[in-house]
Amino acid sequence: MASHNPHRVYIPTNARSNQYLLAEIKPDAAFYAGFASAADCYQQLAQQLFALMTQHELRNVQLIANDKLPVVRFHEEAYSLQTEKQILFFYNPKYHEGQGIFTTPDYQARKLRVVFLATGEELRSQAALFHSKVVQLLTAWQQQLPGRPAIKLRDHQQLSYDLFAKAKGLKESYGYKLRGLYPRYKARQCTLPDEHSEITYVTVTLPLTRQLKQHFLTADATDFSLLYQQLEQRFTAACAGKKLDKLAVVANGLTPVVRSSKWDKVENNRELQKVSFNPDCSEPQLLSFWQADKLVESAHFIIVADKDDNTEFGYGRFMNQVEEALRSFARQLEIPGERQDLLVRFYQHISYIIPAAE
């Protein structure tokens, strides 16, 4: 039982693990001057990358040169889907390999992004090795680039599972300590720079079902404030007293993107809502994004770990508190766990700069 060891969280055995690294370069005019055209630039860069990925035994690498943000999701079929602001990569790490380049005709990118998708079966145990291979590739690639520019590197890891898996009959679980990335990598001889930014958080997506809408709204309602206020109040009440005080509610129809405020600020566009937190700050933080006149299909709830939640054992205690809060939240809303999924995603991110080479 999870209560026998508060430093482990017991997650269903059908939980999905994912990891990808995102490298970003800001090319300047001098960078582009080294190529005949933007199209020629991107083709040459792709050729360099794809040659290096073979040398470094990386099996799924994508070059993005149209300023769209990558979003990675699990799927049994491998495919990519582009919107105005995003590229969604769907794949199963066990089976899917690939390489690709995403450009827009006659468009010169402000940022060049490279997505390295982890492959294989034991992603968490192999995460440090995968990170090391990516850094080796980027260091070699940097030597081939005009001006040898600095590279911002983000490592994204994720575990996702249904909070109600047990109610649906899945009794088997596995105990995770969920160690922080920095000590986990250090123990596996993958050294990260002292100057880095780390953020750990949980998101849960709640479909706004007919039952929820009927409970809080009249049939002819055009002002949906009561629904969003009640969801926010019940969410914060569920988290109260559990040291969970860095929270956000995103119910404006946009996809939340959580970042450390060391790198990014709160902002949005037509598809994405960037939400920034400072995990080192001891002050509570509640961010809320919704519109009284806009009824959306689902709401996203975010819980960010404090610096103190990263104990010598890991984030297991934090996740037990999170699960307790989410179950309380679900009970308040009378969500039928045997019939409805409540997808929990546990994220670990670490970011740093690979400095410009001499």
Side-chain angles (χ1 to χ4, degrees), residues 125-139:
S125 64
Q126 297 297 314
L129 177 61
F130 177 61
H131 187 106
S132 295
K133 288 182 177 180
V134 171
V135 171
Q136 291 167 11
L137 180 150
L138 290 173
T139 303

Side-chain angles (χ1 to χ4, degrees), residues 217-232:
L217 300 172
T218 61
D220 58 350
T222 57
D223 184 335
F224 310 111
S225 301
L226 179 62
L227 170 62
Y228 298 134
Q229 289 168 353
Q230 286 295 315
L231 290 176
E232 183 178 312

Side-chain angles (χ1 to χ4, degrees), residues 232 247-250 266 274-277 285-289:
E232 183 178 312
L247 309 172
V249 180
V250 180
V266 171
K274 190 177 289 184
V275 187
S276 298
F277 290 89
Q285 188 174 359
L286 173 62
L287 301 176
S288 189
F289 307 91

Side-chain angles (χ1 to χ4, degrees), residues 133-154:
K133 288 182 177 180
V134 171
V135 171
Q136 291 167 11
L137 180 150
L138 290 173
T139 303
W141 189 44
Q142 189 182 49
Q143 296 295 324
Q144 302 178 36
L145 299 177
R148 300 175 182 175
I151 302 173
K152 180 188 289 187
L153 185 61
R154 290 188 174 105

Side-chain angles (χ1 to χ4, degrees), residues 2 5 28 34 114 150 163 169 211 242 245 279 281 284 319 333 344:
N5 187 342
D28 55 16
V114 185
L163 186 69
Q211 174 240 333
K242 300 180 180 63
D245 56 12
C281 178
M319 276 304 294
L333 299 178
V344 178

